[in-house]
Amino acid sequence: MKDLIKHIVQTMVDEPEEVEISEIEGDQSTVLKLRVAKADIGKVIGKKGRNVRAIRTILSAASAKEKKHTVLEILE
Amino acid sequence: MSHCVEFEDKNVEMAVKKACEELNIPREKLKHDVISYGSTGIFGLVGTKKARIRVTLPKPSPKVVFETSNKGQQNENSDEQTLESVDSQIEISHDEGEDHRVAVDPRDLGREALQKIIDLITTDATISIEKRSNRIVFNVRGGNSAVLIGKHGQTLEAIQYLVEKIVNKNRKGRVGIHIDVEGYLEKRRMSLQRLAVNMAEKVKSTGKPAAIGQMNAHDRRIVHIALQDDNMVRTQSKGEGFLKKLVIFPKKNSSRKQN
């Protein structure tokens, strides 16, 4: 899961080496914390949050089979 | 007296992490003092200050420091190498010049990206590719199609959007990407057209406007097109954001025009 999101984000940003994701797992939900280069934050979020919404939709579909919730946070 | 090394980064946490990586010390064993916490300044633009920490090394030997910091760099390098092998497609386009970027087949790129996303959501799904004039249609078969489509096709829409983004990054022209799961797009189009016609009939008989709620851009387009040749009604999108209402109005002067 983490690797896929990292891969997707890396293809969207200008500085793929700066992409960092940490995962905090709980019983009910998993929190993914995403950190990218400052200039790339806008690219990850997208126009009116369109990019990040698409990523979150895919995450929730992917975690549905494990009956868990996954939260994606973008840190700055 | 023990040896000290200073590290700085955007915030204390990152500085600590950097120190751990470069010195190969587990976080719990790292002894450090915070020199400054740093600040992001105003809106992250003015007056940004980096956080600084001073790490106390267990063995006061400059030789050890030199070796371990070298090791840290090697680790970083090997990390990068594994990354390179993971997304070789993209790396190729990065390494080679502009001319080669265009040469990467959007079909292969799209297929690779799509397969990765789909494998995460469900298993045993296969992709077939169809190329039409200036767009590429990916057909997905097998696996758990209900999860792939999602509520009102929103997962499918998200996958399509991201794959399109990935394919069109580093390209001059734009290729349209359509992703279909077991004929869902066609089914959705048919049912929306049926709904549109039914609603239009209702509007004509009551003479009052009627709304279809919660429609995304693609769905609205289908309804607008379905009713554009009907000169008894007109259609309009209302609301804000990505999900809007679509209102069907009766045309008051339509009977006069026809006479």
Side-chain angles (χ1 to χ4, degrees):
Chain A
M1 192 116 70
K2 192 173 142 190
D3 297 334
L4 179 93
I5 299 305
K6 189 164 186 177
H7 176 77
I8 293 175
V9 172
Q10 275 174 337
T11 53
M12 293 198 302
V13 297
D14 288 337
E15 293 178 60
E17 317 83 46
E18 297 266 310
V19 178
E20 256 180 69
I21 294 190
S22 59
E23 194 172 19
I24 303 165
E25 246 180 282
D27 292 341
Q28 301 275 309
S29 55
T30 309
V31 181
L32 291 179
K33 293 195 172 180
L34 172 68
R35 196 183 284 280
V36 294
K38 219 163 207 166
D40 283 332
I41 289 179
K43 292 202 183 65
V44 176
I45 295 171
K47 199 175 180 183
K48 295 212 170 170
R50 202 172 171 188
N51 294 358
V52 75
R53 196 178 72 229
I55 296 175
R56 284 182 176 138
T57 307
I58 287 172
L59 266 181
S60 60
S63 44
K65 85 180 159 193
E66 288 157 30
K67 299 211 163 94
K68 279 179 108 179
H69 289 281
T70 306
V71 183
L72 177 70
E73 279 180 29
I74 300 170
L75 305 178
E76 48 178 328
Chain B
M1 204 191 102
S2 59
H3 192 81
C4 291
V5 181
E6 286 184 10
F7 287 91
E8 59 172 32
D9 213 309
K10 278 177 198 155
N11 56 37
V12 175
E13 198 191 334
M14 280 176 79
V16 172
K17 206 174 160 196
K18 196 172 163 187
C20 293
E21 273 172 15
E22 290 203 12
L23 300 173
N24 262 348
I25 303 173
R27 205 183 184 125
E28 312 84 65
K29 286 185 186 167
L30 190 84
K31 285 179 192 166
H32 70 274
D33 299 309
V34 177
I35 299 169
S36 80
Y37 284 94
S39 87
T40 46
I42 302 158
F43 305 128
L45 292 172
V46 190
T48 40
K49 263 198 236 156
K50 286 193 166 175
R52 287 174 75 86
I53 58 165
R54 184 183 287 129
V55 177
T56 316
L57 294 176
K59 280 175 199 165
S61 149
K63 202 182 161 200
V64 172
V65 176
F66 180 71
E67 276 176 6
T68 46
S69 64
N70 244 356
K71 229 183 227 170
Q73 277 173 0
Q74 275 167 7
N75 279 351
E76 275 170 29
N77 283 344
S78 66
D79 276 349
E80 274 168 23
Q81 272 162 12
T82 48
L83 274 182
E84 271 170 28
S85 62
V86 168
D87 38 23
S88 51
Q89 278 275 4
I90 289 98
E91 285 302 325
I92 287 165
S93 61
H94 273 293
D95 290 344
E96 292 169 16
E98 290 255 343
D99 303 321
H100 291 268
R101 281 186 190 184
V102 190
V104 177
D105 193 342
R107 271 174 289 185
D108 295 339
L109 195 60
R111 186 191 199 118
E112 195 197 23
L114 179 60
Q115 188 74 55
K116 271 185 189 159
I117 296 174
I118 285 175
D119 283 346
L120 186 83
I121 297 175
T122 182
T123 46
D124 306 327
T126 51
I127 303 169
S128 57
I129 303 179
E130 242 178 90
K131 174 125 182 152
R132 294 181 200 162
S133 55
N134 63 340
R135 62 199 163 127
I136 304 167
V137 181
F138 293 97
N139 267 305
V140 182
R141 264 167 222 294
N144 190 348
S145 55
V147 183
L148 277 178
I149 293 167
K151 200 173 170 191
H152 301 306
Q154 62 177 6
T155 308
L156 192 60
E157 200 197 346
I159 296 172
Q160 181 174 304
Y161 177 75
L162 283 178
V163 172
E164 190 163 335
K165 268 247 123 124
I166 291 168
V167 171
N168 286 318
K169 173 106 184 171
N170 299 333
R171 270 185 67 86
K172 277 176 191 163
R174 233 186 115 249
V175 237
I177 302 285
H178 283 250
I179 298 174
D180 198 358
V181 177
E182 318 229 357
Y184 174 78
L185 287 187
E186 185 63 17
K187 257 189 252 168
R188 178 92 179 140
R189 204 168 61 89
M190 298 292 265
S191 81
L192 278 168
Q193 279 171 347
R194 221 177 305 130
L195 175 73
V197 172
N198 287 346
M199 291 294 269
E201 287 303 320
K202 198 178 136 198
V203 169
K204 281 178 212 167
S205 64
T206 59
K208 280 180 186 150
I212 312 174
Q214 298 277 301
M215 308 262 288
N216 67 29
H218 177 249
D219 290 356
R220 285 198 304 275
R221 183 169 185 269
I222 292 171
V223 176
H224 283 306
I225 289 173
L227 295 180
Q228 73 180 1
D229 294 331
D230 192 333
N231 48 21
M232 302 281 280
V233 292
R234 66 185 173 87
T235 55
Q236 196 178 353
S237 297
K238 270 198 171 172
E240 290 268 306
F242 62 100
L243 289 175
K244 293 179 191 162
K245 267 198 302 195
L246 192 149
V247 189
I248 304 171
F249 293 99
K251 269 188 192 166
K252 276 170 193 152
N253 54 358
S254 60
S255 54
R256 226 183 296 155
K257 257 188 195 168
Q258 275 176 346
N259 294 336

